[in-house]
Amino acid sequence: MRRKLFLAGIVMIVIGIILFEVGPTVFKFPNVNALFPLKETAKLDPTENVTLGNALPGNGFMIIYNDSMGRPLSVGATGGTLQLQQVNGTFAAECVNTGSSSATVYLINNQTAPVSVSYSSANFSVTGILYSIGLVIGGVLIAIIGFIVMIVGLLLKAKKSSPNAI
């Protein structure tokens, strides 16, 4: 067994595990408590809208809402890309702003009757996602390499000391 190689492998495994654990905490996603329960309400007539907030440059903006009709309303933004999903009558929209100025996010009643809306919204960091993914993947790779180094250290025989060594 080569002790130094074995110990280097152990250290790499520990560093990999630490990076893997720290990765998700770097990403500043809106806390579920910030979005639920739905905190704001509005009554919208047909074609009327309500401004929900701003997606800052390089950041995202998350909206969770439900309405009295149970149908998706139109979500708009002055910039960025939008995605809408529905789960059990609750709708979630995400705006990612890749532009250089703030994007205003708004909700429009695209139905033919007035609708009551309950909603919550929060900003999140897009770059934080990339850092988190990098830390998690890096942690896994370092731990795997550390495991290999540790096994090699266990399998290799110790160096024989030379009788002429001083």
Side-chain angles (χ1 to χ4, degrees), residues 9 11-24 131-147:
V11 168
M12 289 176 74
I13 291 171
V14 170
I15 291 171
I17 290 170
I18 290 170
L19 289 176
F20 182 82
E21 292 293 323
V22 167
Y131 291 138
S132 292
I133 291 170
L135 286 173
V136 169
I137 291 172
V140 168
L141 291 175
I142 289 172
I144 289 170
I145 292 168
F147 183 75

Side-chain angles (χ1 to χ4, degrees), residues 54-61 78-81 94-105 124 126:
N54 293 310
L56 302 173
N59 287 316
F61 191 78
T78 57
T81 57
E94 176 184 297
C95 175
V96 177
N97 184 1
T98 56
S100 59
S101 61
S102 291
T104 302
V105 181
F124 64 91
V126 174

Side-chain angles (χ1 to χ4, degrees), residues 77-138:
T78 57
T81 57
L82 285 167
Q83 290 185 328
L84 181 68
Q85 295 180 357
Q86 176 186 5
V87 178
N88 298 332
T90 299
F91 302 92
E94 176 184 297
C95 175
V96 177
N97 184 1
T98 56
S100 59
S101 61
S102 291
T104 302
V105 181
Y106 50 91
L107 194 60
I108 305 167
N109 180 0
N110 57 345
Q111 306 298 322
T112 57
V115 65
S116 294
V117 182
S118 297
Y119 64 92
S120 287
S121 58
N123 285 296
F124 64 91
S125 168
V126 174
T127 55
I129 295 170
L130 300 176
Y131 291 138
S132 292
I133 291 170
L135 286 173
V136 169
I137 291 172

Side-chain angles (χ1 to χ4, degrees), residues 7-79:
L7 291 176
I10 296 289
V11 168
M12 289 176 74
I13 291 171
V14 170
I15 291 171
I17 290 170
I18 290 170
L19 289 176
F20 182 82
E21 292 293 323
V22 167
T25 61
V26 170
F27 173 52
K28 302 286 190 267
F29 194 75
N31 186 336
V32 173
N33 294 331
L35 295 171
F36 288 104
L38 302 176
K39 295 176 176 36
E40 305 290 330
T41 58
K43 183 171 173 139
L44 301 173
D45 290 324
T47 71
E48 189 177 11
N49 69 52
V50 61
T51 300
L52 302 172
N54 293 310
L56 302 173
N59 287 316
F61 191 78
M62 182 100 175
I63 307 110
I64 306 285
Y65 75 93
N66 60 29
D67 59 72
S68 57
M69 293 184 138
R71 291 189 235 157
L73 301 178
S74 179
V75 179
T78 57

